[in-house]
Amino acid sequence: MSNAIAHSSKTRSNDPLIVRLLQSVTQLDPERLNDLYNSPTKGEVSFEEMVIRSGLANERQIAEAYARHYLMPLFDPPTDTPPPVDPEVASVLPSRLCRDHLIAPLSDDGQTIEVAVFSPDSLLLADEVKLITGRQMRPLFTTLSVIERLLCVLYEEGSWTDTVTSTQTASFEEVEEHEELDDEETAEACEIVHLDQAPPPGRDGRIIRYVNSIFEQALQTRASDIHIEPYEDNCRVRLRIDGSLTEIAPPPMQLLNSVISRLKVLSKMDIAERRLPQDGAIGLRSGDHRVDMRVNTCPTVYGEKVVMRVLDKNSLPHDLMSLGLDERQYRDLSESIRSPHGLMLVTGPTGSGKSTTLYSCLNYLNDSETNICTVEDPVEFKFGGINQVQTRTKVGLTFASALRAFLRQDPDVIMVGEVRDNETADICMRAALTGHFVFSTLHTNDALSSVTRLKDMGIEPFLLSSTLRLLVAQRLLRRLCDECKVPTQVDADSSKQYGIDSKAVIFKPGGCSRCRDTGYRGRLAVFEIIRLNTQLSEMIQSGATVEMMKKAAVADGMKLLQDSAIEKVRSGETGLDEALSICVSH
């Protein structure tokens, strides 16, 4: 017999209480017990639940062992008839307290409240129960399934005879299967979560219910990102709504690891790996509405932080005019991307809507006569009629290598997710010179600064002047809530500085329930669209400064970012402070 098995076959003082209690009445399987001690999921669920899942004991044996040890009654109602519990007792204890600690009220005589408990940890709630109710707590041990049935009946108007399974989420076998997936399968796999389906009873059902509630809140508020952040004594869950982070109710700390494990299982990640960042994807379905989520985990000093990007294909504009362009911008954009060859760059920080603009342009060009190829990292939205490639740096499929392959695929239009290095930039330029129209993105503060950035990457000025067709910079502004925006007038200094008529009526945020008292609801895009005419091309080749090119563009009637933002203020779509928050001073 191995040392590990020998260790597990004897009861030791440092063994969990339930193991010592069960060993006193029956011989536990030493191999299973050893596997339990070394399980990678240890700590994510209670040890009692791990014992049940491993088959060492059933939940009734655990309840009986605790009842004998603590000299307390055992609550064991029949499963085929309603329990002897008055539904009115549900109002005595808060439902959240009961669900978080897996307890259920049974009776209340005004002085003592009987409470069904599953774990000895729940006995520590006696003071809290007395503080809430003013009554003494009399605990009765019962099984986990009875607790869940009681919670279902008392707080969810469910049926007592509903079947309860304590392992509704990924079992150990399921997790092992997920871990065996290779990188390519993991990247492409996407678990579909049906939000319309009721979660199963049981502790795992409680985890599923909480995770689904986060998803539902994100969809209802049209959030773009979900953040789950662990700290030393608590955790925080925040939604990025209209560009700003808003805190929502977090899970209890004892459930945090289970919540994160649930998300990792759905995302086809390795739940045992907590030391390295991981990427995955989840699909949500509510009715006929399908939403994809891009999931990333990152280890922090207090645990794993999870961020989920919400990708709603239905929210994409169906045509270019829906982007919020004015007539001149729409004409410059639509005519430029119809060119037989050339390069269009969209610039802006992360989260400014660059991908939305690019996808709208591709949809505009997507027809049976046009061969469109894209290389992205990651592919956020999938479209029929467009050949989309996901980069895989581990196997050498980079932006540059995919671009070289595209040039042998007879493309008409190529979209590159981002120009990150001089090799990618050089291939983009040469593709634009040889009869292809190329779309890509770049991180710069304004449109014309991308010329300087490309020169820094080693691109010759003559190549830039020959290939560039359109430069776009964009930002997202919060849109004023139509229900509560307040009319106001601009002060004299701002009127003079930003060219707003001092007598003109503009609007500022108010606050109502519809916009969560922020004064804003939704977002809109503002653009700086610079069409490269002959004058600008000659200025690029001659080495003119960015400021000189801006003056030439403005003289030709093109709007800079600040001008587009101020125009949205004049039209009553956003507030002056919001418009100024995204503008770089010129």
Side-chain angles (χ1 to χ4, degrees):
M1 181 180 291
S2 68
N3 291 335
I5 295 177
H7 157 74
S8 298
S9 63
K10 294 187 290 185
T11 301
R12 302 197 325 177
S13 60
N14 60 350
D15 284 331
L17 174 62
I18 188 59
V19 172
R20 287 182 274 133
L21 295 179
L22 292 173
Q23 289 275 36
S24 66
V25 295
T26 185
Q27 181 64 47
L28 298 181
D29 185 337
E31 291 187 7
R32 286 190 180 184
L33 189 57
N34 187 62
D35 290 342
L36 203 61
Y37 284 133
N38 298 318
S39 171
T41 60
K42 187 177 180 180
E44 294 179 5
V45 297
S46 68
F47 197 82
E48 291 86 353
E49 289 179 74
M50 293 181 66
V51 169
I52 296 171
R53 290 184 177 190
S54 67
L56 280 169
N58 59 46
E59 58 179 1
R60 182 180 176 83
Q61 290 173 313
I62 292 175
E64 289 176 344
Y66 279 141
R68 282 194 306 269
H69 178 73
Y70 288 98
L71 303 177
M72 291 180 181
L74 179 69
F75 182 68
D76 186 23
T79 58
D80 54 351
T81 58
V85 177
D86 184 359
E88 296 295 325
V89 78
S91 61
V92 178
L93 289 178
S95 62
R96 181 168 179 175
L97 175 73
C98 295
R99 290 193 179 98
D100 288 351
H101 297 280
L102 289 176
I103 64 174
L106 299 175
S107 66
D108 175 25
D109 63 8
Q111 294 182 339
T112 302
I113 179 171
E114 288 189 334
V115 179
V117 301
F118 167 68
S119 168
D121 293 341
S122 301
L123 302 179
L124 302 176
L125 296 173
D127 290 340
E128 187 171 353
V129 169
K130 185 174 183 179
L131 183 65
I132 294 172
T133 66
R135 298 160 175 79
Q136 296 292 334
M137 182 178 105
R138 180 173 180 257
L140 287 76
F141 276 96
T142 189
T143 62
L144 180 61
S145 59
V146 167
I147 294 266
E148 293 293 350
R149 285 193 178 97
L150 288 169
L151 294 176
C152 186
V153 170
L154 295 175
Y155 297 106
E156 299 175 21
E157 299 182 358
S159 170
W160 170 255
T161 57
D162 286 343
T163 301
V164 173
T165 304
S166 298
T167 54
Q168 291 292 337
T169 53
S171 64
F172 296 122
E173 291 77 10
E174 291 171 329
V175 171
E176 290 170 3
E177 180 182 347
H178 291 155
E179 292 173 358
E180 290 169 1
L181 294 173
D182 61 28
D183 290 341
E184 293 189 9
E185 289 173 327
T186 302
E188 297 299 329
C190 185
E191 185 82 15
I192 303 298
V193 178
H194 295 270
L195 297 179
D196 296 332
Q197 295 180 358
R203 182 183 190 275
D204 292 331
R206 183 165 55 133
I207 304 300
I208 296 172
R209 188 182 301 109
Y210 177 77
V211 171
N212 287 359
S213 73
I214 296 179
F215 294 155
E216 289 167 353
Q217 288 183 73
L219 297 184
Q220 289 169 3
T221 57
R222 296 182 293 185
S224 60
D225 299 89
I226 304 170
H227 294 243
I228 300 178
E229 304 162 317
Y231 297 101
E232 184 175 10
D233 299 319
N234 65 333
C235 63
R236 184 164 63 177
V237 179
R238 296 189 288 177
L239 306 179
R240 188 173 294 280
I241 304 170
D242 299 336
S244 301
L245 286 170
T246 302
E247 198 163 342
I248 63 173
M253 278 301 290
Q254 65 267 29
L255 296 184
L256 178 61
N257 286 336
S258 297
V259 168
I260 292 176
S261 293
R262 165 72 177 166
L263 293 172
K264 291 172 74 174
V265 168
L266 292 176
S267 307
K268 299 292 190 291
M269 296 180 188
D270 180 356
I271 68 168
E273 178 57 75
R274 300 187 180 94
R275 299 164 298 173
L276 296 173
Q278 297 187 71
D279 290 290
I282 302 174
L284 305 180
R285 185 174 293 281
S286 179
D288 296 330
H289 188 198
R290 164 71 185 269
V291 175
D292 293 319
M293 303 185 75
R294 194 171 73 230
V295 186
N296 175 266
T297 64
C298 183
T300 71
V301 291
Y302 295 119
E304 289 181 287
K305 176 181 178 181
V306 181
V307 176
M308 294 170 276
R309 170 64 58 89
V310 182
L311 305 171
D312 187 356
K313 188 175 179 180
N314 294 334
S315 66
L316 289 177
H318 297 293
D319 56 70
L320 293 182
M321 206 62 188
S322 300
L323 291 172
L325 306 167
D326 63 26
E327 291 184 10
R328 168 67 184 268
Q329 291 173 335
Y330 175 78
R331 185 174 71 251
D332 285 347
L333 179 60
S334 59
E335 291 178 1
S336 296
I337 63 178
R338 282 292 184 185
S339 301
H341 56 85
L343 173 64
M344 168 182 160
L345 289 175
V346 183
T347 70
T350 301
S352 59
K354 300 187 298 295
S355 297
T356 298
T357 298
L358 287 177
Y359 283 133
S360 298
C361 292
L362 294 180
N363 272 333
Y364 180 78
L365 298 174
N366 190 10
D367 56 40
S368 59
E369 300 177 357
T370 306
N371 179 17
I372 302 176
C373 299
T374 77
V375 53
E376 306 168 60
D377 182 24
V379 175
E380 294 187 352
F381 299 100
K382 300 178 180 65
F383 295 91
I386 298 178
N387 306 288
Q388 297 173 270
V389 174
Q390 166 76 55
T391 61
R392 299 188 192 282
T393 54
K394 289 183 179 179
V395 296
L397 182 56
T398 62
F399 283 117
S401 61
L403 265 173
R404 292 193 192 95
F406 282 170
L407 296 179
R408 296 187 289 272
Q409 293 279 320
D410 187 30
D412 298 302
V413 175
I414 298 173
M415 194 268 272
V416 182
E418 184 182 347
V419 177
R420 295 180 178 176
D421 51 55
N422 58 345
E423 184 183 16
T424 305
D426 184 66
I427 300 174
C428 284
M429 293 295 164
R430 301 198 179 279
L433 275 175
T434 55
H436 311 92
F437 197 88
V438 181
F439 295 88
S440 193
T441 67
L442 204 61
H443 288 285
T444 60
N445 287 331
D446 53 46
L448 286 165
S449 293
S450 57
V451 174
T452 304
R453 179 65 57 83
L454 290 170
K455 286 181 180 179
D456 292 341
M457 289 183 179
I459 305 300
E460 296 292 339
F462 77 89
L463 273 177
L464 291 173
S465 62
S466 301
T467 58
L468 286 177
R469 293 290 177 269
L470 198 72
L471 297 174
V472 179
Q474 69 180 81
R475 300 288 189 277
L476 294 178
L477 294 174
R478 291 184 294 173
R479 187 189 298 273
L480 285 169
C481 176
D482 291 331
E483 300 293 324
C484 63
K485 62 183 180 180
V486 180
T488 186
Q489 288 187 314
V490 67
D491 60 75
D493 290 340
S494 298
S495 173
K496 182 179 179 180
Q497 185 175 357
Y498 305 115
I500 303 175
D501 188 346
S502 59
K503 296 181 181 179
V505 176
I506 62 173
F507 292 87
K508 65 179 181 179
C512 65
S513 58
R514 191 164 181 258
C515 63
R516 308 177 320 281
D517 293 320
T518 63
Y520 293 97
R521 190 168 187 268
R523 289 197 285 182
L524 55 91
V526 292
F527 295 90
E528 179 177 292
I529 295 184
I530 308 297
R531 189 174 187 180
L532 276 295
N533 53 26
T534 303
Q535 180 186 8
L536 287 173
S537 295
E538 291 174 351
M539 293 178 76
I540 291 174
Q541 191 159 355
S542 64
T545 65
V546 171
E547 290 303 319
M548 293 170 62
M549 289 188 287
K550 283 181 182 178
K551 290 179 181 178
V554 172
D556 193 41
M558 303 179 201
K559 287 181 182 176
L560 301 184
L561 265 178
Q562 179 171 295
D563 301 324
S564 297
I566 295 300
E567 190 60 40
K568 299 296 184 183
V569 175
R570 292 193 186 99
S571 64
E573 296 178 80
T574 193
L576 180 60
D577 290 342
E578 178 69 12
L580 298 180
S581 69
I582 57 93
C583 295
V584 178
S585 59
H586 298 288

